[in-house]
Structures are given as structure tokens and as C-alpha cells.
Amino acid sequence: MKCSRAALSAAFALTSFTAVAADYPAPQQGDWIARDFKFHTGETMPELRLHYTTVGEPTGQPVLVLHGTGGSAASLLTPVFAGELFGPGQPLDASKYFIIIPDGIGHGKSSKPSDGMKTVFPKYNYEDMVDAHYRLIKEGLGVKHLRLVLGNSMGGMHTWIWGVRYPQAMDVLVPMASQPTEMAARNWMLRRMMIETIRNDPDYNGGNYTAPPRMMKYAINAYGIATGGGTLGYQTLAPTAAKADKMVDDRLETPVTADANDFIYQWQASHDYNPYPGLERIEATLLAINAADDERNPPETGVTDAALKRVKNGRLYLIPASTETRGHLTTGSAKFYTQQLRELLQTAPQRTM
């Protein structure tokens, strides 16, 4: 796929949601090189590769969709997400919208440590990832203005940064499974423990391993069980010791495919996340979507409610907890918010830039 717009005509899933895939256009893939990309550390890469996927024609209204940690565009092209959003009559009907789904730095087919640089790869953070996508949108695809930026989990945090860092770039923001406050408390503590477990495995060998560190799968699964799945969800799926053991056994028998350096970089990138000081700069209409049983972003802390008071056109939709929700993983299934997203896009003002 060409890079000029003018020339264009899951990691920790607890269980699968059931849905029928919509008949949306075949996704198209492309690569764009961001030259002399400068990271927040001051390091510069002469050529930073950014891989992306698009759905629909560039004559449609541009929409940016952002994946979660460890994911890629491919992880969003599922029946329960794309199948609920991109088809005819659905909220992001690809006959009306030009849907752009990039792989973040360090993810998918974009530049990452495992390409050869290992731990010499620049230490990126979320602002670097957003800046790279901004360059892809503006320079690579020639998109002047976005109708919507929507992201899930890490992508939700990126969406908050988009609103603060590039307030005039879009009409609508939908950050999901995230909050606009500093990475802290249990969310960061468990991320830190997961990272440290891998780094301190002798197999890791300072990043010069020959096989995945043996403790990596235990660290990944401990974090996944602790921070995704939902209390009611787990009680429904594993109400006995035997069923709980079976779920653990199945997880531990699943081979780890992630590269350890890539994995550590991906999670470490969230450490200095904090869009809170700049929330007043957000100009777009904003709908935050979180789940009431989200283990990483528990609503009872009140931090998101307090932060939204500083966003002039912002509000929260909280998905009620049920036996159907899956905690932090809930927003990976679009059926929980298709109505809210459709109404938002029908009513949010459009700005021409």
C-alpha cells in the first residue's frame, strides 16, 4: 500500500466472546519510514519503521484506532472488535470511514528491539509512540484531520496523550480501559514485578538470551490473572478448584511467543505515563469508556471522575460488571459500547482544519 494518502484509492484473553464477523473490506497493510526520529531520551534513529493496516477507502472520514500492550493491528481485527464496528451499518462502517490501525513502536511489524538492536534499541515511552503515529498520519498518509481517535488499554492511554499533545488533530476522542492519571499504585507495581521477574531470570542474561527466559511465562500469567478477567468472570468460569487448575494448566502449556526484550520495553514504556497536567488542553469531544470491574483502573478510586472535571467536553461511560464482562479485558469486545459510540459520532461536532 502506498504511503501517500493522495495515492491511496490480545495478550491475556481470559475467554473468547462469541460474535459473527461483519462483512467489512479486506484490510490493507503498509510500511512508512520516519526518518531521523528523535526519542524523549535525546536518542535518534535514522530510520524508524512504522507498520500500519487500513480498512476502507481514503475518501472516507479518517479514524485512528490504537491497540494495547503487546498487541498490533492484527489483534484488533477480531470478530468481537472489528466484526462489531467496521461492517455495514456499524459505528465505524468502513464504507464511510477510513480506518487506520498502526503497530506501535516496539510492536507488531514496526521497529523493535528484536529486529537486531536488542537492549541498544532506544528506550521509548508512550509520548514517543504517539509522536511516531502523528508523523505517520500527517507525513506518511497525508491525513490533515481525524474524525476520531479510539484506543484500548495502552491505546486508551495513547488516546489521552493525543488529546493533550495534539488537541486540534481530531474531533472525537474515545480512550478505553485507561485513566488520565499517573501510572501508579497496583497497576504499576504489578507491571514492575513482572518486568523484574524476567530481568532477574538467569536465562535473560542481560538481554542476550538464546531462548525465552524460563520464568517469563509465569510472570506473564501471574500478571494476566491478577489484572484481567473480572471477579464475576472468574467465578463463573472457574467456580471449583478443578476448573481453576485447568485454566492455569492451559495457560502454562501455551508457549510464550513474545521476545523478552520486546516485552520488557513494551511494559516499561508506561512508567512515566501521566497526561493529567495537560487535561485542560483537550479540545475534542471525549467519551472515556471503562469497565466497572477493571482491575487496572478501578473506578472506586475516583481518579478518573475527578480528572474528567478538567476536560471541558468529557464524560465517562462505565460498563456495569456482570458475568459477561471480563474486567480489564471487557473493552476488547465492542458489543458493550456500540450504541454509545454510534450516538457519539452522530452528535459530536465536526471541525474542519
Side-chain angles (χ1 to χ4, degrees):
M1 192 171 185
K2 299 293 185 182
C3 292
S4 170
R5 189 176 181 231
L8 288 168
S9 291
F12 301 129
L14 177 64
T15 187
S16 297
F17 296 94
T18 57
V20 177
D23 184 21
Y24 56 85
Q28 304 294 317
Q29 298 187 49
D31 291 283
W32 181 72
I33 302 298
R35 303 197 182 280
D36 299 319
F37 185 84
K38 188 174 182 179
F39 293 81
H40 75 286
T41 58
E43 298 172 274
T44 300
M45 281 188 71
E47 295 187 349
L48 178 73
R49 184 181 67 257
L50 296 171
H51 187 78
Y52 61 92
T53 299
T54 62
V55 180
E57 295 297 325
T59 50
Q61 292 192 82
V63 167
L64 180 65
V65 179
L66 303 168
H67 64 76
T69 309
S72 66
S75 64
L76 295 177
L77 297 175
T78 63
V80 295
F81 187 81
E84 296 279 350
L85 294 177
F86 299 168
Q90 294 180 334
L92 297 179
D93 185 335
S95 69
K96 301 176 181 179
Y97 292 99
F98 179 51
I99 303 159
I100 306 162
I101 318 173
D103 293 353
I105 298 174
H107 291 70
K109 296 179 182 178
S110 291
S111 292
K112 53 190 179 294
S114 63
D115 291 340
M117 294 181 71
K118 298 184 179 179
T119 56
V120 179
F121 194 89
K123 303 298 188 292
Y124 61 85
N125 66 4
Y126 282 2
E127 292 192 352
D128 293 328
M129 298 174 81
V130 168
D131 289 348
H133 285 162
Y134 181 80
R135 286 189 59 181
L136 168 65
I137 294 299
K138 291 289 186 177
E139 301 172 35
L141 296 174
V143 173
K144 295 180 179 179
H145 187 75
L146 293 160
R147 175 58 177 159
L148 166 71
V149 178
L150 176 149
N152 190 39
S153 192
M154 178 184 75
M157 290 186 273
H158 287 187
T159 302
W160 285 108
I161 295 173
W162 265 90
V164 169
R165 206 162 176 85
Y166 302 106
Q168 296 185 335
M170 76 297 292
D171 296 330
V172 182
L173 291 165
V174 179
M176 304 192 300
S178 61
Q179 52 194 22
T181 53
E182 184 173 359
M183 177 60 65
R186 181 182 291 118
N187 195 356
W188 175 249
M189 293 165 72
L190 288 172
R191 290 168 187 245
R192 170 79 187 278
M193 288 299 297
M194 178 171 60
I195 292 168
E196 294 294 342
T197 299
I198 299 169
R199 278 181 174 156
N200 285 280
D201 185 333
D203 293 344
Y204 181 64
N205 191 30
N208 297 306
Y209 43 85
T210 56
R214 282 170 286 184
M215 292 305 297
M216 187 170 169
K217 68 176 180 179
Y218 299 102
I220 291 174
N221 284 299
Y223 179 81
I225 292 169
T227 68
T231 300
L232 296 177
Y234 277 124
Q235 187 61 39
T236 301
L237 295 167
T240 66
K243 289 185 177 180
D245 279 336
K246 178 65 165 56
M247 290 187 72
V248 171
D249 290 342
D250 289 345
R251 285 182 174 225
L252 293 179
E253 289 173 3
T254 302
V256 172
T257 58
D259 176 83
N261 284 326
D262 289 349
F263 188 87
I264 288 173
Y265 269 72
Q266 290 164 1
W267 291 92
Q268 185 67 42
S270 68
H271 184 227
D272 62 356
Y273 167 76
N274 187 16
Y276 185 80
L279 292 180
E280 282 86 358
R281 293 201 290 271
I282 294 176
E283 298 180 11
T285 302
L286 184 146
L287 176 64
I289 301 177
N290 284 345
D293 54 353
D294 187 334
E295 301 89 344
R296 301 181 201 177
N297 306 291
E300 58 266 28
T301 64
V303 297
T304 297
D305 289 330
L308 279 169
K309 294 177 181 178
R310 298 177 53 204
V311 180
K312 53 182 173 285
N313 295 311
R315 61 188 176 91
L316 171 68
Y317 173 60
L318 193 65
I319 302 167
S322 71
T323 57
E324 293 296 313
T325 58
R326 295 294 180 262
H328 184 71
L329 308 177
T330 299
T331 46
S333 179
K335 70 178 183 180
F336 291 107
Y337 48 83
T338 51
Q339 178 182 342
Q340 288 75 19
L341 183 58
R342 179 181 288 108
E343 292 174 355
L344 176 67
L345 290 169
Q346 289 172 347
T347 59
Q350 295 198 22
R351 298 184 294 172
T352 55
M353 306 300 292

